[in-house]
Every structure is written in structure tokens, then in C-alpha cells.
Amino acid sequence: MKCKRCRAKAEVQVRHHNAAFCRPCFILVFQRQVQRSIEKHRMFTAQEEILVAVSGGKDSLALWDALIELGYRTTGLHLALGIGEYSHVSTTKTVDFAHRRHLRLITVDLEAQGLAVPTLARFTKRPACATCGTTKRHEFDRMAFENGFKVLATGHNLDDEAARLLGNVLHWQVHYLAKQSPVLESTHERLARKVKPLYRVTEYETAVYAFFRGIDYVVDECPNSVGATQLMYKDTLNRLEAVMPGTKLTFVRDFLTSGQPAFSAAADGAPQSCDACGMPSFGTLCSYCRLRREVETKQLMWQPPRAASDGR
Ligand code: SF4
């Protein structure tokens, strides 16, 4: 197999583009795809500084790497979620990545604040991923605002977007369909524009890019992801993709060009401000402040179980 660009020996085949590439050409093509998405959707300009949400996984580190290689000014933002060994490894990989490349990284340690994801889930009796999602959204917005960033980039790839779209369509979540876009403009003075420059590249391409670029990322999945509906949707889409290469890209691309505008009327109006933290909210308190208050109240009421040997 020969590289489509330079005719050298190919190292990777990209079936949905019906093409194969050698290592240098694949890296170039990947970065060009990212650049094209940024320009097509006017995500940001070369003059803006981008806050990149980095988990320590392949997608976010590949995104950060590609943005640097494309010449953008970036700062990383990492949330240490407090999910045991998984979080420790994720934080270590992220810090190492930033350190080796002399990049600025902001880290928020939720465990040190007593607000680790397992703590939130235990005290509220909600699924870990629900409390994690609320926390991530709030902390990303808060850190972007407090550090003066107008743009927040996340590493969502084509597989993520296709799986999310499938879930939203299956359940006709029109509010979510209205918001499913590679760019979400700010609707509040404290809200940064949210962008997904990897939305056109697959998880496979991102993994290959990370490997070719020598990026050391956390390989294990979060233990809370076991049995997640999102993974089921991804699996279903992968099976379709195997027999019909290009399905994921067509599904997402055609939704954005012809389907999504039909749902725009279902979009939420502009949010007000949370009475407690001042961040965007659709009620008196934002969902994060409500979550936090619930945890803090229950922590105050919580009595540790008595030891069997205390004799009473
Ligand atoms: Fe958070 Fe759930 Fe993702 Fe784990 S799987 S990082 S708990 S959203």
C-alpha cells in the first residue's frame, strides 16, 4: 500500500477517506483537517488564546499537540477528578505532557476541595457521570472566565459527536439537538465560546496521530464508563462503519448542514446568573451550586458508622 500523497510506503489506512498515508503525511493531513474545521466554523483566530480542556486521554492531548503545531497560543486546563488510580495517572500524563513542551497548564484539584466525583456521587446518590458532567461544565466555564479566556476547546472527536447525535435522535432530545454543534457561541458575559476542532476526525485517527506523535496518554478508560450508553452507541456506529465506511462522517456532517437548523428554535434562551457563584444559570442557583450545597449539607449531617469495638 502506498501513501496517497507522496507514494512512499503507507503506514495507516483511513477507510472512510479511501486513502492510506505514510507517517509524515498522516500527521500533516490530520493537522490540516483540524485547521479546516477551525476555519470553516470560525472557531477562533490566531490572535486569540485558547483554553484547552485536557483530561490526559488521547483526544485532548492530540488536540493540544495539533493546536501547538498549527501555531495557536494555548493554555491547558486539567481537572483532577479524584477517581482513584485513573485520575492519578491522568493527571501525571497531563502534567508530563505540559512540562516536556514547556506549556502553561492550570490544574483544578477537586479531591483537595473535598469535591471528588466519588464523593459527589456518594452523597447525592446520583450516577457518577452525572455529577462529573455537571462539575466539568461548571469548572471549565469558571476557569475560562476567571483566567480571561474567550474560547474553550475540547477534544470531542467524530465518534463522540456521532454517538451523541444518535442518542439525541433516538430519544428526540430537541433541546440537545439544537445545541449540538462544533461551535457554541457565548450566551452570557461569563461564558466562553466552546469549540470542538476534532469533530471531523475519528477516534481511530486521533489514536494513530497520538501514537505517531509519541504522545504518552492514559490508555485505561475511566472505571465509571463501564456499561455507559454512549459506548453502546459507539459500538453500534462502529458496526455500521465497518460495512459502510463514512457513515459517521456523513451522519454528523449532514445533520449539521441540513438537520440542525430545523432544531434551532428549540434552543434555550439566554441564561441568567447564579445567585451564589454568578455563573450562567437557568434558575436562581446553577446546577453545580445546587449539587455542591446538597453535598455539603449531607456531609454536615453524616455520622461515621461506629466501630464495632467501641463497646456501646
Ligand atoms: Fe466522568 Fe463518567 Fe467520564 Fe468517568 S466516565 S470521566 S465519571 S463522565
Side-chain angles (χ1 to χ4, degrees), residues 81 83 86 117 128-129 132 136 222 224-225:
L81 301 170
I83 308 174
Y86 167 75
V117 168
C129 293
C132 183
K136 280 180 185 167
C222 171
N224 295 318
S225 70

Side-chain angles (χ1 to χ4, degrees), residues 156-173 176-177 180 196 198-199 201-203 228-241 247-253 255:
H156 293 92
N157 59 40
L158 179 62
D159 293 58
D160 297 322
E161 291 306 290
R164 187 171 162 215
L165 179 57
L166 180 60
N168 287 340
V169 168
L170 286 175
H171 300 285
W172 288 118
Q173 301 272 21
Y176 293 144
L177 287 167
Q180 181 155 2
K196 300 172 184 173
L198 299 187
Y199 88 97
V201 293
T202 62
E203 202 164 298
T229 320
Q230 189 85 348
L231 294 184
M232 214 163 58
Y233 294 148
K234 281 188 178 179
D235 186 47
T236 305
L237 287 160
N238 281 338
R239 277 189 261 164
L240 286 171
E241 185 80 23
T247 298
K248 289 182 230 177
L249 186 57
T250 309
F251 185 41
V252 171
R253 192 191 52 207
F255 166 73

Side-chain angles (χ1 to χ4, degrees), residues 54-56 61 64 78 89-98 105:
V54 273
S55 64
L61 290 181
W64 201 4
H78 175 72
V89 176
S90 304
T91 302
T92 304
K93 304 271 186 200
T94 307
V95 170
D96 282 354
F97 180 94
L105 174 69

Side-chain angles (χ1 to χ4, degrees), residues 217-230:
Y217 60 85
V218 59
V219 177
D220 290 337
E221 296 287 340
C222 171
N224 295 318
S225 70
V226 176
T229 320
Q230 189 85 348

Side-chain angles (χ1 to χ4, degrees), residues 79-84 86-87 109-111 114-136 222 224 291 295:
L79 305 185
L81 301 170
I83 308 174
Y86 167 75
S87 286
D109 189 344
L110 297 173
E111 193 159 24
L115 295 165
V117 168
T119 307
L120 301 178
R122 189 169 79 243
F123 281 100
T124 61
K125 296 192 173 16
R126 282 184 226 168
C129 293
T131 64
C132 183
T134 302
T135 305
K136 280 180 185 167
C222 171
N224 295 318
L291 177 76
V295 172

